[in-house]
Amino acid sequence: MWYRKIIFFIFVDSVLSYGHIYSCDEWIATLNNETNIQDTCSQYGRSVYCTGTLDGIHDHKLKMAEKLWICRFPNKTFDPYVILKHFTHLRMLRINYSNFTHLSNDFPELKHLEVINITNTAMAYTRPTLFRKLPSLRYLDLRGNCLDHMEGPLILNSGFKKMYLSGNKWNCTRNMKWLLTYDENDRGKRVADKEQMRCVDYKYSGRPLLAVMDFKMQLRKQCGHPDIKNCSCTLHYIRPSEDGEYLIPMVTVNCSNRDFLDLPEFLPKNTTILHISHNQISSIEVLRKNPIYLEVHDVYLDYNQIESIEFLEASRWLNNFRVFSLKGNKLTKFSSHILDNALEKNHHAIKLYMSENPWRCDCIFTPHFQELLMKYHSIVKDFTSITCKYIEGDSNFRTSVISLNRGDVCKLPSEYKIQPIELLNGILGSLIIFILGKLAYDYYHYKRYGRVPWIVTKLP
């Protein structure tokens, strides 16, 4: 029938025009053993296959090609401008299994180029302007390379349709949020396989890139809350849920050196670590009262003005914390049973820091404190650095609490200094006793002998 004849003639025309369609490996397998496959080109109609350094690619017969395969290019740098500028009729370009790490120039202006496939190469870097001079480009395949990030969305023409980026070594600690930003050119939507893009960096290895960028965008919004507007927020880890059905972000908030007077009432969702050292915080009662802190397992409160932890007694937070750092505050003593009871119940605690506080080493507090430090020395990481504060005349100043003997804190001083006020009191007391004794003697002498004291006879 007539339409079958039309299809047949279209097929014959395509075969005559483009010749055989091979993959790189299939084409190289067709070459004779005598052919130097390190540097050769083959032409099939308007299709050209080349391998090696491409020294012979500028043959005028090849420049009419509409399809170009470049296989196993050995150099570390590929210059698309120099290599492709004379292929003015090119419609499709494929570069596969090559060693170049980056493209040294932008593509030249090729008005007919519609499809670019650069796959399974060592290419690790692109720039936004790379394909901007290609007005007819519709499809771009960059799968299976070594790209770890993209500085921003590629500048592409308005008629561009689809881009493929999966199978690369994406570093999700870099900024790839443009994948979620749909501007007037729909650049984010043009990435057809973004759901398959995976992170390979140390922090988010194996996690979907799209999910990581979505978590980062949400965190950026929450970190702008007035309570923490001067703080920095970091997505430090992403873990799967217990059933493996979804992912849970884990957030670190750093509010150190921000002149905080109190712990913030608001923190981003899923905050697990809070750094809020070097501020002016005097009360940590918020840890007990505010439920958002139940998810904050690590709290660093070093070098603040905290004087007491008594109100954390029996609190849910103290029974569940993982890291609690109170170095360089104003703690002098506390009821040891508060921490003892909490650490008995808390199976998550791994680090507790309490050094550089002015601990008072007396006979009442120190023995109980020593027992606590010995019992939980694997958790109190700085127990050997916890020292006594300065008290005049106390030889235990800066002595490690754990090294003190009971006799060091429960004995009278070996030398006692008489203070001037005490000497004066002693003299006055002695004079009073002497006067009272003299008065009694004179009274007795007068009664017995009838004589008045000698001093009385001399009075006028």
Side-chain angles (χ1 to χ4, degrees), residues 92 98 103 157 165 168 173 180 287 401 408 449-450:
M92 188 200 77
S98 297
L103 305 177
N157 63 75
L165 295 172
N168 282 281
T173 64
L180 299 171
L287 294 176
V401 170
D408 294 330
Y449 300 106

Side-chain angles (χ1 to χ4, degrees), residues 128-146:
T129 61
L130 201 56
F131 307 103
R132 66 176 178 174
K133 295 179 181 178
L134 304 176
S136 299
L137 187 63
R138 297 294 180 266
Y139 299 94
L140 177 62
D141 191 344
L142 297 175
R143 287 177 286 189
N145 295 296
C146 296

Side-chain angles (χ1 to χ4, degrees), residues 106-352:
D106 293 347
F107 274 70
E109 186 175 357
L110 300 173
K111 296 181 179 180
H112 305 290
L113 186 55
E114 298 178 358
V115 178
I116 296 178
N117 178 301
I118 304 175
T119 56
N120 300 304
T121 75
M123 183 171 70
Y125 173 77
T126 65
R127 54 184 171 279
T129 61
L130 201 56
F131 307 103
R132 66 176 178 174
K133 295 179 181 178
L134 304 176
S136 299
L137 187 63
R138 297 294 180 266
Y139 299 94
L140 177 62
D141 191 344
L142 297 175
R143 287 177 286 189
N145 295 296
C146 296
L147 295 171
D148 67 349
H149 79 287
M150 296 180 76
E151 293 179 358
L154 297 172
I155 299 174
L156 301 166
N157 63 75
S158 59
F160 184 85
K161 293 183 178 179
K162 290 184 180 179
M163 181 192 316
Y164 298 88
L165 295 172
S166 62
N168 282 281
K169 300 178 180 180
W170 298 113
N171 182 349
C172 294
T173 64
R174 307 292 292 268
N175 184 7
M176 295 279 287
K177 299 187 186 77
W178 61 268
L179 283 168
L180 299 171
T181 305
Y182 301 138
D183 58 14
E184 66 278 4
N185 294 320
D186 288 336
R187 291 172 181 169
K189 287 184 178 179
R190 290 175 175 180
V191 181
D193 61 345
K194 57 188 175 184
E195 297 287 347
Q196 284 75 51
M197 295 172 69
R198 292 292 183 271
C199 307
V200 299
D201 56 275
Y202 71 96
K203 188 181 286 189
Y204 310 118
S205 181
R207 306 299 184 225
L209 182 144
L210 210 60
V212 175
M213 295 304 129
D214 185 40
F215 287 142
K216 285 188 174 184
M217 288 188 68
Q218 293 180 34
L219 178 59
R220 184 175 181 179
K221 292 178 183 177
Q222 294 181 54
C223 203
H225 191 278
D227 282 7
I228 55 170
K229 63 181 179 180
N230 293 324
C231 302
S232 62
C233 305
T234 306
L235 183 66
H236 70 264
Y237 189 66
I238 298 175
R239 66 176 179 86
S241 60
E242 292 183 1
D243 57 9
E245 293 293 322
Y246 56 93
L247 296 173
I248 302 172
M250 301 176 73
V251 174
T252 296
V253 177
N254 191 339
C255 296
S256 296
N257 293 292
R258 299 294 194 277
D259 296 324
F260 275 80
L261 300 178
D262 296 290
L263 285 166
E265 294 288 343
F266 172 86
L267 289 173
K269 187 178 179 181
N270 297 309
T271 297
T272 59
I273 301 175
L274 174 62
H275 291 271
I276 194 163
S277 302
H278 295 280
N279 286 289
Q280 301 298 317
I281 298 170
S282 58
S283 172
I284 52 176
E285 199 168 354
V286 175
L287 294 176
R288 183 187 187 98
K289 292 183 176 180
N290 195 327
I292 67 170
Y293 282 92
L294 293 177
E295 300 297 323
V296 184
H297 305 305
D298 302 358
V299 176
Y300 295 85
L301 276 158
D302 303 332
Y303 307 106
N304 279 281
Q305 305 295 318
I306 299 163
E307 298 181 358
S308 174
I309 60 171
E310 301 289 331
F311 27 71
L312 292 182
E313 183 174 4
S315 65
R316 290 178 61 190
W317 186 88
L318 197 61
N319 290 342
N320 289 281
F321 80 89
R322 196 174 73 102
V323 178
F324 192 21
S325 187
L326 291 165
K327 292 192 296 184
N329 281 278
K330 294 187 175 181
L331 297 171
T332 57
K333 59 173 62 179
F334 63 91
S335 299
S336 296
H337 72 273
I338 294 175
L339 279 181
D340 192 12
N341 293 340
L343 295 175
E344 282 281 357
K345 301 173 184 177
N346 189 344
H347 302 295
H348 308 291
I350 59 172
K351 293 180 182 179
L352 177 63

